[in-house]
Amino acid sequence: MTAVEANFDGLVGPTHHYGGLSYGNVASTASKASVANPRKAALQGLDKMAALAELGLAQGVLPPQERPSVALLRALGFDGDDASVLGRAAAEQPGLLSAASSAACMWTANAATVSPGADTEDGRVHFTPANLVSKLHRAIEAPTTARALQAVFSDSAHFAHHAPLHPCPALGDEGAANHTRLCASHAAAGVEFFVYGTADDSQRTRFPARQTRLASEAVARLHGLPAERCVFAQQHPDAIDAGVFHNDVISVGNGNTLLYHELAFADADRSLAELQAKADFDLHLLEIKADAVPIEDAVSSYLFNSQLVTLPNGTMALVCAQQCRDTPSVWAAIQTLLDGDNPIATVKVFDLNQSMRNGGGPACLRLRVVLDEPQRAAVNPACWINEESLQALRQWVSTHYRDRLHVDDLGDPALLDEVRTALDALTRILALGSIYPFQLP
Ligand code: SUG
């Protein structure tokens, strides 16, 4: 049986803005209250999806969530009709309104942890939506994410959906951003590599460590992964304090290759030896030294948030943000990789600046789902990216999105109407049925 790795990118929602909501994510803090361009953000994301589909990769799309979340604001005591809720929140608690309006679900690497059928006990693809408890604006994503994933991967013969872990700091779970899978080929059983920031909810870093070991272990158990094919490694605390809030900001794996920074892991030698021991294939462990790329350059360029993808010809491409080309140490490191004895043969550069300014690079924007042929055939067909869906989605964005959005605009009741009109149309384009709160009875 053959299998492909599909990338499901998050479609950037119409309320994309810079709220400064993610303490510990240096780009988010630096961009606070600057003017965003939601239309450009969504089109930049679609351009990346189009290019990966063009390379011959299986590319899907996941829908954005309904924002502002009037339900969150009501639950926090703002009442009256929708316009009054927004107006009061804007006047009294603009930070809460920003959290309720965040388009952060675009970063689908945080939507869920996904284990391919080749790795799981029952042969099904297992999904656990991330609870994202570390940040209010992200924690509210989980219930709708769960519904969206079930709408896209609905056939229970092929797909198993778990509930998000109980939402509490001890079980902080940020999904696939802290998880990668190494394998000889996508169809073969792999080794699942879980990276956590802290063992439980004790905090030993200046910036928050968002993922706990307890959570990663629970996900591995739920997915029915054999212990002899799982590795749990701790993130280096200095990396977290340099702005590495998710492990995918400092390492990326694909197939038999793991690309990582010297400062990625707390006990790198032990963790990587365990990884090599549990893999029944030769691993390419590609370490980038801090002398070559200082951690600050790694964080500002998002080198390790590049997507590492296997092309149909069997070589790998590094799909990076243009900040990598603009950072001399990083661009030099990429040239060294391309010249080296490893599977990475090409680099593709993308302008994802709208997302990057909130700390979201190429790999943040995608959720990887490995699918064998029957599983691939069972995916909601309207969620695949092809010429037709791209045209419909680009047209949809151009019709419904603003080209300028600032935190001060979020209380505008017209924005809520625009969003609902847009999302209603989107559920038809992506054949999702009713998944949004405003569509539910
Ligand atoms: O959770 N930024 C996101 C970025 C997530 C990146 N994902 C991965 N590394 N996989 C976060 O910090 C900023 C929102 C704002 O400030 O408006 C934000 O949520």
Side-chain angles (χ1 to χ4, degrees):
M1 181 86 78
T2 57
V4 295
E5 177 187 271
N7 285 288
F8 285 82
D9 280 42
L11 186 53
V12 179
T15 57
H16 160 64
H17 71 281
Y18 299 114
L21 297 169
S22 278
Y23 177 66
N25 166 344
V26 287
S28 154
T29 304
S31 303
K32 182 173 182 174
S34 56
V35 175
N37 183 335
R39 184 186 301 164
K40 194 169 185 181
L43 294 174
Q44 286 176 344
L46 284 167
D47 286 348
K48 175 166 86 78
M49 296 183 229
L52 267 69
E54 181 92 351
L55 287 172
L57 302 172
Q59 179 67 53
V61 63
L62 294 173
Q65 303 205 355
E66 182 192 353
R67 299 286 182 268
S69 169
V70 179
L72 172 68
L73 297 171
R74 286 190 191 284
L76 298 178
F78 297 101
D79 55 14
D81 60 16
D82 287 351
S84 315
V85 168
L86 295 178
R88 272 193 61 198
E92 295 170 30
Q93 285 286 357
L96 276 183
L97 177 59
S98 169
S101 306
S102 176
C105 68
M106 72 175 84
W107 299 297
T108 52
N110 306 118
T113 306
V114 185
S115 295
D119 295 356
T120 63
E121 227 161 37
D122 64 5
R124 294 187 296 168
V125 183
H126 283 242
F127 297 81
T128 297
N131 60 24
L132 297 169
V133 283
S134 159
K135 308 281 175 206
L136 170 63
H137 70 289
R138 305 232 50 191
I140 58 176
E141 293 171 24
T144 303
T145 299
R147 276 202 299 278
L149 290 173
Q150 285 172 25
V152 179
F153 306 96
S154 59
D155 186 341
S156 61
H158 296 294
F159 306 117
H161 294 273
H162 303 279
L165 300 182
H166 188 77
C168 64
L171 293 174
D173 178 21
E174 303 268 326
N178 294 317
H179 169 258
T180 196
R181 172 178 186 260
L182 296 149
C183 54
S185 77
H186 291 312
V191 178
E192 299 210 7
F193 187 44
F194 292 84
V195 183
Y196 58 91
T198 177
D200 41 46
D201 55 356
S202 54
Q203 193 63 49
R204 292 190 190 83
T205 45
R206 179 169 63 107
F207 285 154
R210 299 197 200 178
Q211 178 88 28
T212 70
R213 178 172 178 131
L214 275 183
S216 298
E217 288 174 345
V219 171
R221 261 192 307 276
L222 286 164
H223 290 194
L225 304 177
E228 63 278 12
R229 286 191 167 271
C230 290
V231 177
F232 299 91
Q234 183 167 9
Q235 256 187 295
H236 202 302
D238 292 353
I240 295 177
D241 284 344
V244 179
F245 53 98
H246 290 136
N247 177 63
D248 69 0
V249 176
I250 203 71
S251 84
V252 55
N254 175 52
N256 61 1
T257 302
L258 183 69
L259 175 66
Y260 61 97
H261 189 269
E262 185 180 0
L263 266 185
F265 309 114
D267 190 354
D269 289 348
R270 193 200 57 75
S271 301
L272 298 171
E274 187 182 344
L275 203 54
Q276 183 63 81
K278 289 185 169 175
D280 53 8
F281 49 89
D282 279 335
L283 274 176
H284 287 275
L285 295 174
L286 307 178
E287 182 186 62
I288 307 275
K289 295 280 189 196
D291 278 355
V293 175
I295 189 132
E296 296 74 24
D297 286 2
V299 171
S300 62
S301 68
Y302 265 42
L303 165 62
F304 297 92
N305 200 260
S306 299
Q307 289 174 250
L308 198 52
V309 293
T310 304
L311 300 174
N313 68 10
T315 66
M316 292 191 194
L318 190 78
V319 175
C320 70
Q322 86 187 3
Q323 280 76 357
C324 290
R325 193 168 47 197
D326 298 343
T327 307
S329 66
V330 170
W331 197 239
I334 291 177
Q335 302 316 310
T336 307
L337 282 172
L338 293 176
D339 294 340
D341 178 20
N342 67 68
I344 306 173
T346 27
V347 58
K348 301 276 171 197
V349 182
F350 287 88
D351 176 2
L352 294 165
N353 211 30
Q354 287 290 320
S355 167
M356 284 287 284
R357 283 170 56 204
N358 252 341
C364 300
L365 286 160
R366 62 95 168 92
L367 181 68
R368 292 184 282 189
V369 186
V370 171
L371 301 162
D372 65 21
E373 283 158 31
Q375 291 161 348
R376 186 176 182 177
V379 173
N380 178 338
C383 294
W384 291 116
I385 288 292
N386 50 39
E387 263 174 45
E388 197 189 336
S389 60
L390 269 171
Q391 200 194 348
L393 290 168
R394 285 190 168 123
Q395 177 64 46
W396 174 79
V397 169
S398 304
T399 309
H400 296 283
Y401 280 49
R402 296 187 182 190
D403 61 5
R404 187 185 188 287
L405 200 63
H406 181 266
V407 278
D408 290 346
D409 302 323
L410 300 172
D412 177 3
L415 179 66
L416 181 64
D417 286 344
E418 289 163 29
V419 168
R420 288 182 173 166
T421 305
L423 296 183
D424 209 35
L426 183 68
T427 49
R428 287 191 293 278
I429 296 175
L430 298 181
L432 293 169
S434 298
I435 56 163
Y436 292 112
F438 73 90
Q439 295 174 312
L440 299 174

